[in-house]
Amino acid sequence: MKAFKITIRADKYPMDYVVQASDWSPAISRAVREWKKRFKGSRTIKLSITAVKAEIVLQANGEEK
């Protein structure tokens, strides 16, 4: 699994998500699903998605994986 940093910019605020997935497409769809959960019911005219493959994945305790 690879780590991806997905930035979703909607009308107002950019949101960053770090997602672990096997490829670009599942990573982006997981980030969009999380974004939809957070902003459920809001109307958005423009949605901009930027995806970057992360080099280092940190665990919850701060150590490199």
Side-chain angles (χ1 to χ4, degrees):
M1 294 277 249
K2 303 170 195 163
F4 296 90
K5 180 183 176 193
I6 313 292
T7 303
I8 299 178
R9 286 185 178 86
D11 293 332
K12 295 182 180 181
Y13 307 106
M15 297 294 300
D16 291 328
Y17 299 95
V18 177
V19 178
Q20 290 190 5
S22 60
D23 204 12
W24 294 97
S25 179
I28 292 171
S29 65
R30 288 177 190 167
V32 169
R33 193 176 316 129
E34 290 295 318
W35 179 84
K36 284 172 63 175
K37 283 182 189 177
R38 176 144 187 197
F39 294 102
K40 189 174 184 177
S42 66
R43 294 180 184 226
T44 302
I45 296 171
K46 183 178 178 183
L47 189 67
S48 173
I49 301 171
T50 305
V52 178
K53 190 184 294 186
E55 297 293 327
I56 298 173
V57 178
L58 296 179
Q59 294 179 347
N61 59 4
E63 296 178 3
E64 290 184 14
K65 188 175 181 181

